[in-house]
Structures are given as structure tokens and as C-alpha cells.
């Protein structure tokens, strides 16, 4: 698996332009919607300061604080779109020999309005940036490459205790531990994957001004502390009802229903997979076997480089990376575990279903399509996937071709490699069946894609995918799921429903 720095945590300097354009667009649209000046709109909306306060220790602070200041002090004219403002603030700039990046149609006014060259704003911005830098250095975090991602790199995953009440209790009547009595064939769930597996999601209500209120931002602190991943709703480790649209269905919930001993035995270690796969918290002798979902989905062919094809994982690299990871798993998983490799998705689905639709930011004025968004991100070299999010059909085809080759490598590994402590299976990413299933339910294909980034699978796609994966496992590899536990009712009677988590 590729060392996929998550798209969202690319270095700050590459993130500033699009974040700036996004924030300014939202502010401008708010003013438009409330028929007020930008300044008045911001004063009326009391949630903005709260956000700023919360984001004090985050990169957004630089943008929000500076922008609010600049916008308020200069009362930006509405004729100027967000591209112009961000260029004026020098948050967006055109490097020599590079194209000029813009989200909106090129503006009628000059790119560099003279009044914004006034030094106050620039000085303030520089001050903010250096204090942020100092703050990060002070706390010993890496500034370069990992900006804004201030997790302790040595304790990456937030691992759950795998213990549950059930595993500790003893039946008072006969002194036999409950676990011995009730629990056979228990399994834990482990996900190794990328940001799609952790369920990356930016709520569209944060940028849809027509529906915006303080309530739209209620989930903001939590969303940012989880770095915009929502594993609690994801297709593998989800355990709470979705609050981000769709519904929750997960391998964990299904396994737990099948055998109530599988309670709370889940690990969401999906971010930045290569590091995390080396911190699997499983005790080979004491723990129950695990079902490991090894999901690559798109990281290996997705990058934002200009020469994207040259930066994709080759089949040879894929073979070596995956076999290495599997060897590691073999030395850490309890005997009797299972590994399911899932193939890469065919990302042409994204362009085909979204390119001429309006992005949430473009809905108010019907002025930003996904095609425009993709080109903007691509121009800034922060596209989550240059190979698929492009008008160039040849390139989209070539990207899919590579994805297919890599899936075939996985398929071949599952067919030919043998491991001591687990058996191994391969399945295609169930996109086709998911789309089919959703169509039957009366849905549209675009609803299967995250509206804000136009890239990740949506909550609906995740939940439908779970059902499809589960059915396939039940049919073809029932040993992976284990037997239904005949003591389920008894367990529930004694321990009550402790909630999924
Ligand atoms: C917006 O404000 C302007 C000036 O205050 C006013 O003329 C106009 O009627 C207002 N429009 C709406 C839709 O309220
Ligand atoms: C990170 O975690 C490790 C292990 O728990 C600890 O030893 C180290 O001090 C932590 N570093 C920081 C910067 O918190
Ligand atoms: C998963 O990780 C997030 C943070 O990344 C954490 O808040 C959460 O409690 C973890 N566990 C589960 C089961 O989601
Ligand atoms: C979701 O909510 C329903 C009722 O609203 C409840 O029956 C169900 O157990 C909940 N599911 C989860 C995973 O919490
Ligand atoms: C891309 O692939 C599709 C499906 O295989 C094919 O119909 C189309 O002609 C290809 N387009 C280009 C430009 O290669
Ligand atoms: C489309 O992509 C292919 C492959 O990268 C490239 O050779 C071709 O020049 C591109 N076409 C256009 C119009 O940019
Ligand atoms: C794992 O268990 C199987 C039987 O369930 C046994 O045949 C095999 O030798 C065990 N492997 C190891 C490494 O203990």
C-alpha cells in the first residue's frame, strides 16, 4: 500500500489556496443570501467567532482570522469573487511557468486590487503564520509534510479496549466464566485502508448558505478532532446511527448481531495505512481471531501530481508492498484469522456521474460545477485524484487500467500465497452492485459520492457496500463470519444491550 499522505493533510502551503477560496466563497454567499454587506453578514452570524475560537490551534485559524479581518476592514465589494480575494491576500499565487488557478470563471476586475495590497492585512497574516509555526514547533510536531496533523505519530491509532464486560464476568451460579460458557467463534474486525475506509466526509451544510445556521456547525468540533473522518458510521467499524445522511450498516454491527460475543472488538486504524499496519493491537495468543479488511480502494492510483501516471504504484511495487504487509499480519494475528483484500474501484464513475452537476458551493448562483472544482484542485496540485477527476478521457481510462492491473495483483496474491495464521480472500470493490442496488431503491448514482470532495464514497454507498460484502461472505466464505451464536438471547438477557460501543 502506498504511503498515502491523506489528501486533506497535504502541506499547509498547498492547502491554503483552496481553503481560502472555499471560506471566502461561503462568506460572500452568506452576504448575498442575507442581502447584506459582507461585514454585516459576518457580524450577524455569531457562530463565526465560535469557529474561530475552536480552530485557534488549527490551520484554519490563519485563514479565518485573517480573512475576517481583511474582509471587515476593507468591506470587499461583491463583484470580486473568491478567486480574486485569495489572490489579493496572496494565499493563492501563480508560480512562474504554472497556470493561473481559479474556481470561478475568470473575473472581470483585476486580479490584484490595489487596496488589498495595503500592508495591514499582509502583516497580520504573516504574524499569524509565524505564531502558528512556533506553536507547532513548540509542541514537537512536524511542521513539514504533516502540517495541521498534530497527532502523536508514535501513538497513531486511537485503539479501543477490546475488553467487554462479557469477557470479564463469571457466572455466579457455577463459577464458570461467561466467556467460556457463551463465546465460541468470536471474531474482531480490523480495517486497514485509506481515508475512504475511515469514511472521510465534509458536511455539505457547512457551505450551503441557504441552510446555514449555528446548528449546521454543531458537529464541527468533533469533526475536526476526528480529522473529518467518521469511522463511527463507516462500512467496517461503524457502530452509531449516521448523522451525516444515509444510514449505518457495518461489518462490525452485523458480526455482533451474529455473535454477541463480538462486542466492542473493532479497531479503526485506517488512516495512513502503512504506519498503522505496524501498530496493530492484537495479542497473538490471548485475543480472538480477527477479520482484517485490507482495503486499498484508490490510494495507489490517486495523487495530485502533474504527471500522475508516473506516480502511480506499479504492479510490481504493489506485489511487494502487499506481501510485506501480509507477512507482518501473519506474525501478529492470532491463528484462525481471515484477511479480505478488496480491489481498487473504477473511479470513472466519479466523472461520469458528477462532472456537469453543481457543487454545493455552486448551488446558490449556479456557477460551480464539479468539473470546475476538479480543474481548480488539479491546477493547484491538490486534486485527490488527478487521473480520474479530469476531463481527459484517455487519462481516466489509463487510470482505470492501472487500477485493474493492481486489483489483479491482489487477486493473484489471494489465490497463490499461503499464510500460517490466516486464510485470505479477494473481492472486487462492489461499486457496480452498489449502484445497481441504489437504482432499485429509487436513488441516483451521484448520491453515492461525497458531495463536497466529489471523490469519496458517501454514507449511502458505504452502507450498501456492507450489505453486499456481507452477502458475498455468507455465500462464499461462511467460515470467515463464524457461526451464529446460539447463546445470543441469553447474553443479551444477562448483559442487556450495552450499545454498540
Ligand atoms: C436588498 O437590499 C437592497 C438595498 O438595501 C434593497 O433595495 C433590496 O430590495 C433588497 N432585496 C431583497 C430581496 O430583500
Ligand atoms: C507520543 O507517545 C509516546 C508513546 O506513548 C510518548 O512516549 C511520547 O512522549 C509522546 N510524544 C508526545 C510529543 O506527546
Ligand atoms: C476511531 O478513531 C477516532 C479518532 O480517529 C476515535 O474518536 C474513535 O473513538 C475511534 N474508535 C471508533 C470505534 O470509532
Ligand atoms: C439506530 O436507531 C434505531 C432507532 O432509531 C435503533 O433501533 C438502532 O439500534 C440504532 N442503531 C444503532 C447502530 O445505534
Ligand atoms: C475509454 O474507455 C471506454 C470504455 O472502455 C471506451 O468506450 C472509450 O472509447 C475510451 N476512450 C478513450 C478516449 O480511450
Ligand atoms: C490526456 O492524457 C493523456 C495521457 O496522460 C495525454 O497523453 C494527452 O496529451 C492528454 N490530452 C489532453 C488533451 O490533455
Ligand atoms: C493454526 O490452526 C490450524 C488448525 O486450526 C493448525 O492446523 C495450524 O497448524 C495452526 N497454525 C499455527 C501456526 O499454529
Amino acid at each position: 500500500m502506498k504511503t498515502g499522505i491523506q489528501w486533506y493533510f497535504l502541506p499547509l502551503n498547498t492547502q491554503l489556496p483552496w481553503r481560502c477560496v472555499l471560506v471566502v466563497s461561503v462568506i460572500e454567499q452568506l452576504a448575498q443570501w442575507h442581502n447584506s454587506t459582507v461585514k454585516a453578514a459576518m457580524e450577524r452570524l455569531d457562530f463565526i467567532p465560535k469557529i474561530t475560537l475552536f480552530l485557534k490551534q488549527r490551520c484554519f485559524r490563519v485563514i479565518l482570522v485573517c480573512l475576517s479581518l481583511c474582509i471587515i476592514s476593507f468591506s470587499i465589494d461583491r463583484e470580486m469573487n473568491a478567486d480574486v480575494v485569495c489572490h489579493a491576500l496572496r494565499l493563492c499565487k501563480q508560480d512562474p511557468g504554472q497556470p493561473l488557478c481559479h474556481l470561478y470563471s475568470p473575473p472581470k476586475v483585476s486580479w490584484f486590487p490595489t487596496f488589498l495590497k495595503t500592508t495591514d492585512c499582509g502583516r497580520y497574516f504573516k504574524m499569524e503564520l509565524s505564531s502558528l509555526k512556533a506553536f507547532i514547533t513548540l509542541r514537537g510536531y512536524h511542521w513539514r509534510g504533516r502540517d495541521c496533523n498534530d497527532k502523536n505519530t508514535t501513538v497513531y491509532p486511537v485503539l479501543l479496549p477490546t475488553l467487554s464486560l462479557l469477557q470479564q464476568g463469571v457466572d455466579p451460579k457455577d463459577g464458570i466464566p461467561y466467556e467460556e460458557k457463551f463465546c465460541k467463534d468470536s471474531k474482531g474486525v480490523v480495517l486497514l485502508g485509506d481515508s475512504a475506509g475511515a469514511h472521510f466526509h465534509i458536511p455539505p451544510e457547512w457551505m450551503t448558505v441557504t441552510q446555514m445556521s449555528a446548528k449546521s456547525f454543531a458537529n464541527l468540533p468533533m469533526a475536526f478532532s476526528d480529522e473529518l473522518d467518521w469511522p463511527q458510521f463507516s462500512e467496517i467499524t461503524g457502530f452509531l446511527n449516521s448523522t451525516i445522511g444515509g444510514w449505518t450498516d457495518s461489518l462490525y454491527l452485523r458480526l455482533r448481531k451474529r455473535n454477541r460475543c463480538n462486542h466492542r472488538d473493532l479497531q479503526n486504524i485506517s488512516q495512513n495505512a502503512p504506519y498503522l499496519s505496524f501498530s496493530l493491537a492484537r495479542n497473538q495468543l490471548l485475543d480472538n481471531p480477527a477479520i482484517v479488511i485490507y482495503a486499498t480502494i484508490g490510494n495507489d492510483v490517486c495523487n495530485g501530481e502533474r504527471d500522475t501516471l508516473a506516480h502511480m504504484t506499479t504492479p510490481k511495487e504493489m506485489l511487494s508492498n502487499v506481501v510485506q504487509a501480509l507477512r507482518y499480519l501473519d506474525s501478529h494475528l492470532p491463528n484462525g484469522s481471515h484477511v479480505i483484500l478488496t480491489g481498487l474501484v473504477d473511479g470513472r464513475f466519479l466523472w461520469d456521474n458528477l462532472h456537469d452537476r453543481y457543487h454545493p458551493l455552486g448551488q446558490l448562483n449556479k456557477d460551480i460545477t464539479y468539473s470546475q472544482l476538479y480543474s481548480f484542485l488539479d491546477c493547484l496540485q491538490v486534486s485527490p485524484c488527478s487521473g480520474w477527476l479530469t476531463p481527459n478521457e484517455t487519462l481516466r481510462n489509463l487510470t482505470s487500467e492501472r487500477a485493474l492491473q493492481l486489483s489483479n495483483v491482489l487477486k493473484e496474491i489471494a489465490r497463490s500465497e499461503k499464510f500460517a495464521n490466516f486464510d485470505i480472500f479477494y473481492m472486487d470493490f462492489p461499486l457496480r452492485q452498489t449502484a445497481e442496488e441504489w437504482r432499485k431503491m429509487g436513488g441516483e448514482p451521484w448520491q453515492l459520492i461525497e458531495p463536497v470532495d466529489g471523490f469519496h464514497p458517501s454514507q449511502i454507498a458505504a452502507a450498501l457496500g456492507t450489505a453486499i460484502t456481507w452477502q458475498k461472505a455468507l455465500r462464499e466464505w461462511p467460515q470467515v463470519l463464524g457461526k451464529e451464536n446460539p447463546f445470543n438471547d441469553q447474553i443479551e438477557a444477562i448483559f442487556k444491550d450495552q450499545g454498540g460501543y
Side-chain angles (χ1 to χ4, degrees):
M1 205 180 296
K2 205 182 172 90
T3 315
I5 311 173
Q6 272 202 319
W7 163 68
Y8 190 74
F9 296 109
L10 289 168
L12 181 60
N13 56 345
T14 67
Q15 294 285 341
L16 281 176
W18 73 263
R19 290 189 191 183
C20 175
V21 170
L22 190 148
V23 172
V24 176
S25 297
V26 170
I27 294 170
E28 289 192 340
Q29 289 182 19
L30 272 172
Q32 180 193 344
W33 182 248
H34 294 283
N35 195 15
S36 64
T37 63
V38 167
K39 186 168 182 274
M42 290 191 59
E43 276 166 359
R44 254 164 36 118
L45 292 165
D46 68 339
F47 57 81
I48 295 277
K50 275 186 223 135
I51 296 169
T52 322
L53 198 71
F54 170 74
L55 293 175
K56 224 177 182 129
Q57 303 176 348
R58 299 269 171 177
C59 295
F60 268 100
R61 178 188 182 199
V62 177
I63 300 170
L64 273 174
V65 173
C66 176
L67 275 181
S68 344
L69 206 89
C70 297
I71 290 171
I72 287 169
S73 53
F74 296 109
S75 332
I76 288 169
D77 189 312
R78 251 183 258 154
E79 293 306 301
M80 289 188 5
N81 67 32
D83 288 322
V84 179
V85 174
C86 293
H87 272 87
L89 292 172
R90 302 241 179 264
L91 290 177
C92 301
K93 49 180 199 284
Q94 182 179 13
D95 291 328
Q98 301 297 332
L100 183 69
C101 304
H102 54 89
L103 180 60
Y104 295 84
S105 311
K108 287 168 237 92
V109 295
S110 146
W111 282 95
F112 298 102
T114 41
F115 67 86
L116 274 175
K117 283 189 182 160
T118 327
T119 50
D120 262 9
C121 179
R123 222 181 46 227
Y124 189 78
F125 176 69
K126 273 195 208 127
M127 231 168 62
E128 275 299 322
L129 200 64
S130 65
S131 73
L132 187 78
K133 238 174 186 162
F135 168 77
I136 288 172
T137 321
L138 197 72
R139 296 182 54 186
Y141 299 128
H142 301 290
W143 172 249
R144 283 163 54 81
R146 210 179 273 287
D147 305 352
C148 312
N149 189 357
D150 54 4
K151 274 187 173 174
N152 184 336
T153 48
T154 59
V155 283
Y156 242 101
V158 183
L159 293 174
L160 282 176
T162 53
L163 285 179
S164 67
L165 275 179
L166 180 57
Q167 285 159 340
Q168 297 164 327
V170 170
D171 190 337
K173 281 190 231 116
D174 47 24
I176 300 174
Y178 282 124
E179 189 172 13
E180 204 177 306
K181 244 181 157 158
F182 293 144
C183 292
K184 293 202 182 61
D185 227 1
S186 303
K187 318 249 171 164
V189 184
V190 177
L191 170 69
L192 292 180
D194 56 20
S195 53
H199 202 73
F200 184 85
H201 167 84
I202 304 177
E205 58 275 15
W206 291 357
M207 50 196 75
T208 318
V209 298
T210 49
Q211 293 148 31
M212 194 178 280
S213 68
K215 223 175 109 218
S216 321
F217 290 92
N219 54 3
L220 191 134
M222 190 190 76
F224 274 88
S225 67
D226 284 350
E227 305 191 332
L228 296 169
D229 284 333
W230 309 72
Q232 64 274 38
F233 312 135
S234 83
E235 63 264 48
I236 311 294
T237 58
F239 59 92
L240 292 177
N241 274 333
S242 169
T243 56
I244 55 173
W247 61 96
T248 300
D249 188 355
S250 76
L251 192 58
Y252 166 69
L253 284 176
R254 284 174 180 253
L255 273 174
R256 182 170 162 274
K257 187 161 170 234
R258 192 172 176 82
N259 180 351
R260 304 234 9 146
C261 297
N262 295 332
H263 188 61
R264 286 186 197 173
D265 194 353
L266 77 170
Q267 290 180 29
N268 60 337
I269 53 173
S270 44
Q271 282 186 13
N272 289 346
Y275 299 113
L276 298 181
S277 64
F278 294 99
S279 49
L280 182 73
R282 228 169 171 83
N283 184 315
Q284 237 174 338
L285 295 175
L286 300 177
D287 281 344
N288 290 320
I291 302 174
V292 177
I293 309 290
Y294 194 117
T296 43
I297 309 187
N299 260 7
D300 290 280
V301 295
C302 285
N303 59 67
E305 306 288 339
R306 292 238 189 280
D307 188 2
T308 177
L309 286 168
H311 287 83
M312 292 176 187
T313 306
T314 64
K316 209 169 143 219
E317 288 164 350
M318 188 77 171
L319 180 66
S320 126
N321 294 348
V322 174
V323 168
Q324 194 189 342
L326 291 173
R327 295 234 167 86
Y328 169 83
L329 287 178
D330 205 22
S331 63
H332 285 73
L333 288 173
N335 193 8
S337 293
H338 315 275
V339 172
I340 298 177
L341 303 175
T342 59
L344 280 77
V345 71
D346 184 347
R348 283 177 293 192
F349 186 84
L350 302 167
W351 177 269
D352 293 347
N353 289 296
L354 284 187
H355 74 276
D356 55 359
R357 298 188 59 83
Y358 289 114
H359 185 263
L361 264 188
Q363 271 158 17
L364 182 64
N365 296 317
K366 305 266 169 276
D367 57 355
I368 303 169
T369 60
Y370 282 94
S371 171
Q372 270 165 276
L373 175 80
Y374 293 156
S375 296
F376 177 58
L377 296 178
D378 201 27
C379 177
L380 295 169
Q381 292 183 266
V382 296
S383 172
C385 198
S386 296
W388 275 323
L389 310 182
T390 167
N392 185 335
E393 187 182 345
T394 310
L395 184 54
R396 298 201 302 271
N397 279 0
L398 287 171
T399 306
S400 289
E401 207 173 280
R402 176 64 61 85
L404 185 64
Q405 289 166 355
L406 299 184
S407 294
N408 285 335
V409 169
L410 296 174
K411 202 187 278 182
E412 183 54 29
I413 290 173
R415 204 187 57 79
S416 61
E417 297 280 333
K418 292 277 170 290
F419 299 89
N421 287 315
F422 56 83
D423 48 7
I424 184 164
F425 307 91
Y426 168 85
M427 70 178 284
D428 286 328
F429 189 90
L431 178 63
R432 203 179 40 77
Q433 300 99 301
T434 302
E436 179 62 19
E437 205 53 43
W438 184 230
R439 196 186 53 76
K440 276 193 228 144
M441 292 167 73
E444 306 261 357
W446 57 268
Q447 293 164 320
L448 298 173
I449 307 166
E450 271 298 311
V452 171
D453 62 39
F455 174 63
H456 288 96
S458 71
Q459 183 64 31
I460 295 170
L464 287 171
T466 301
I468 292 161
T469 306
W470 180 266
Q471 291 307 331
K472 182 176 171 76
L474 212 52
R475 243 184 357 254
E476 296 174 26
W477 329 303
Q479 72 275 28
V480 170
L481 306 179
K483 293 200 179 56
E484 200 141 348
N485 190 342
F487 301 109
N488 277 344
D489 292 343
Q490 262 170 285
I491 295 173
E492 189 150 1
I494 297 173
F495 294 97
K496 310 287 180 276
D497 185 352
Q498 300 167 21
Y501 174 50

